[in-house]
Amino acid sequence: MTNRRQFLQFASASAASLSMAPLFAADAGEAPFKISLAEWSLHRTLRDASKGLTNLDFPRVTKEEFGIDAVEYVNQFFKDKANDQKYLGELKTRCDDLGVKSLLIMCDGEGNLGDPDDAKRTKAVENHYRWVDAAKFLGCHSIRVNASSSGSYEEQMKLAADGLRRLSEYAKPQGLNVIVENHGGLSSNGAWLAGTIAKTEMDNCGTLPDFGNFYLSRGKEPKMYDRYKGVEELMPFAKAVSAKSHDFDEDGNEVHTDYFKMMEIVLRHGYHGYVGIEYEGGKVSEYEGIKLTKALLERVAAKLAKA
C-alpha cells in the first residue's frame, strides 16, 4: 500500500467519530505496547563530563537503571562516529551482551531535507546516508529526520517530500525506514506532515509522532497545534511513537498530556510497537523523570489492556 493510499484512507476515515472506533487489542496475554528509552532523556547527563556517562554507556544504563531493553540514539552524542566501524562494533557488542535492542537513530544537524536550494537539499540528503548505514549496522529499523524547509505551505510540502523521497530511496534497499518527527514549524502541523509523507509515495517513509512537539512557533506567545489532533493525523504513517514528558502531578500523571487519551489514539490505529520515553522536564532529575514516565506508561498499559 502506498503512502498516498494510506493518506486517502485516513482522510475518509477521519470523518467518523473517534469515540465510535474500537480499540485494537494486542495478542492475548501481551501488553498493548512496549517501552523504549530515547537518549535525549539523558541529554544533560551526557553533556556533563563530570558525570562520566557516554553514548557507549547508554544501553547499560537503560537496562540496569530503568529495566528497559530497547534504545533510541541521538546522533549528536556520537556525531563523529557514524563511519567508525570499531566504535559502532563496540556499541553493538554492548547491546548484544545486555540483550538491548537498538531501534533508531535521531538525526539532527545534517542540513535541511526541504531546503529550497537544490544543491543544499541534495547535500542534506547525502549527509544522512552515513546514518542510514550506521543504523543498519546497529540493527535499527529507522533513522529519525526533520522536514525543515521554507516558503509557502505547498512549496515546503513539495520540497520536503522531494528530500524525504530521495533519502528513503537510499534507505529502502537496506530495509531501513526514514521517519519524521513533528519538530517545530510546519512539521508540527499534523495535516501538513501527513500530506508531506503521503506525497513521497514511499512505504518506508513514515512518522514518529511526539506527544509534545507541537509548537508551530515559539516566543512570548507560542502558537500550538492541538497535540491530540496532531497525533491522530500522524498515526496512519507511524513507525515509532515518542512519549514526551515534562512535569508530573502528585498522582504521577503528566500535566501537559493526558497519556490515557493519547495512548488510546495510538492503539486505535493498531500500533503495538515501542513507545519511547523522552523526558525533557527540569523539576526532577533526568533519572527520576524517566522513572516517572515509565511508571505512567505501565499504568496506561495495564488499564488499556483491559479495555
Side-chain angles (χ1 to χ4, degrees), residues 37-74:
L37 180 62
E39 192 169 20
W40 190 252
S41 299
L42 291 166
H43 70 276
R44 295 185 187 91
T45 303
L46 286 159
R47 286 172 171 170
D48 185 347
S50 69
K51 302 294 185 182
L53 186 71
T54 71
N55 182 67
L56 287 173
D57 301 312
F58 176 50
R60 175 186 57 78
V61 170
T62 298
K63 184 70 173 284
E64 295 180 357
E65 293 288 340
F66 309 113
I68 296 173
D69 63 2
V71 293
E72 303 173 10
Y73 303 104
V74 175

Side-chain angles (χ1 to χ4, degrees), residues 25 55 64 71 87 108-110 163 176 180 213 285:
N55 182 67
E64 295 180 357
V71 293
Y87 179 91
D108 301 298
E110 297 293 356
L176 267 290
V180 186
N213 283 347
S285 71

Side-chain angles (χ1 to χ4, degrees), residues 33 211 259-267 275 300 304:
F33 58 88
F211 294 173
Y259 266 50
F260 292 90
K261 178 179 179 179
M262 195 66 88
M263 286 307 303
E264 284 179 350
I265 294 172
V266 170
L267 297 181
V275 175
V300 171
L304 297 186

Side-chain angles (χ1 to χ4, degrees), residues 23-26 30-32 264 267 298-307:
L23 212 61
F24 284 81
E30 291 187 1
E264 284 179 350
L267 297 181
E298 289 173 339
R299 284 197 290 116
V300 171
K303 179 178 179 180
L304 297 186
K306 300 176 182 178

Side-chain angles (χ1 to χ4, degrees), residues 5-21 232 236 268-269:
R5 292 197 192 101
Q6 281 182 297
F7 185 64
L8 290 174
Q9 285 185 342
F10 166 63
S12 62
S14 64
S17 171
L18 290 178
S19 63
M20 297 298 291
E232 178 69 39
R268 189 176 291 124
H269 284 274

Side-chain angles (χ1 to χ4, degrees), residues 248-253 296 299:
F248 300 86
D249 63 22
E250 60 185 13
D251 295 319
N253 294 309
L296 175 54
R299 284 197 290 116

Side-chain angles (χ1 to χ4, degrees), residues 8-304:
L8 290 174
Q9 285 185 342
F10 166 63
S12 62
S14 64
S17 171
L18 290 178
S19 63
M20 297 298 291
L23 212 61
F24 284 81
D27 293 337
E30 291 187 1
F33 58 88
K34 294 170 281 189
I35 297 174
S36 54
L37 180 62
E39 192 169 20
W40 190 252
S41 299
L42 291 166
H43 70 276
R44 295 185 187 91
T45 303
L46 286 159
R47 286 172 171 170
D48 185 347
S50 69
K51 302 294 185 182
L53 186 71
T54 71
N55 182 67
L56 287 173
D57 301 312
F58 176 50
R60 175 186 57 78
V61 170
T62 298
K63 184 70 173 284
E64 295 180 357
E65 293 288 340
F66 309 113
I68 296 173
D69 63 2
V71 293
E72 303 173 10
Y73 303 104
V74 175
N75 73 334
Q76 64 182 271
F77 297 118
F78 58 122
K79 195 68 179 271
D80 60 341
K81 304 296 185 182
N83 298 320
D84 187 333
Q85 294 297 299
K86 182 178 179 181
Y87 179 91
L88 294 177
E90 175 64 20
L91 182 57
K92 188 175 188 301
T93 295
R94 293 191 185 197
C95 286
D96 291 344
D97 289 346
L98 291 161
V100 171
K101 296 180 181 178
S102 295
L103 301 182
L104 57 92
I105 303 175
M106 297 185 179
C107 301
D108 301 298
E110 297 293 356
N112 296 334
L113 290 170
D115 199 299
D117 184 290
D118 288 345
K120 291 181 179 179
R121 189 166 68 256
T122 296
K123 178 62 174 174
V125 170
E126 293 174 349
N127 284 347
H128 284 82
Y129 288 174
R130 60 183 183 144
W131 294 110
V132 172
D133 298 341
K136 174 67 174 179
F137 182 89
L138 292 172
C140 300
H141 61 70
S142 303
I143 63 167
R144 188 279 282 149
V145 302
N146 298 299
S148 300
S149 187
S150 60
S152 69
Y153 185 102
E154 293 78 14
E155 287 170 342
Q156 290 193 52
M157 181 179 288
K158 178 181 177 181
L159 292 166
D162 175 67
L164 290 168
R165 175 185 54 77
R166 290 157 63 188
L167 180 55
S168 297
E169 287 174 344
Y170 177 83
K172 188 165 185 176
Q174 301 194 59
L176 267 290
N177 300 310
V178 174
I179 59 179
V180 186
E181 180 181 357
N182 45 299
H183 216 190
L186 272 178
S187 76
S188 289
N189 179 316
W192 180 87
L193 183 51
T196 298
I197 299 301
K199 197 173 182 66
T200 69
E201 297 191 321
M202 295 292 295
D203 58 9
N204 68 317
C205 187
T207 60
L208 192 164
D210 182 289
F211 294 173
N213 283 347
F214 284 101
Y215 285 92
L216 296 171
S217 64
R218 294 181 181 268
K220 292 183 179 180
E221 297 182 3
K223 185 178 180 180
M224 296 287 294
Y225 195 84
D226 183 274
R227 67 187 65 204
Y228 305 102
K229 177 184 178 184
V231 170
E232 178 69 39
E233 290 168 331
L234 298 178
M235 279 309 301
F237 305 98
K239 299 181 185 298
V241 171
S242 182
K244 179 62 60 61
S245 60
H246 288 89
D247 304 305
F248 300 86
D249 63 22
E250 60 185 13
D251 295 319
N253 294 309
E254 217 285 334
V255 301
H256 306 288
T257 301
D258 182 337
Y259 266 50
F260 292 90
K261 178 179 179 179
M262 195 66 88
M263 286 307 303
E264 284 179 350
I265 294 172
V266 170
L267 297 181
R268 189 176 291 124
H269 284 274
Y271 182 89
H272 300 291
Y274 283 94
V275 175
I277 294 171
E278 191 171 51
Y279 173 68
E280 278 192 346
K283 294 182 179 178
V284 298
S285 71
E286 290 181 323
Y287 279 56
E288 182 62 20
I290 292 168
K291 291 175 182 178
L292 285 168
T293 309
K294 183 189 179 192
L296 175 54
L297 284 171
E298 289 173 339
R299 284 197 290 116
V300 171
K303 179 178 179 180
L304 297 186

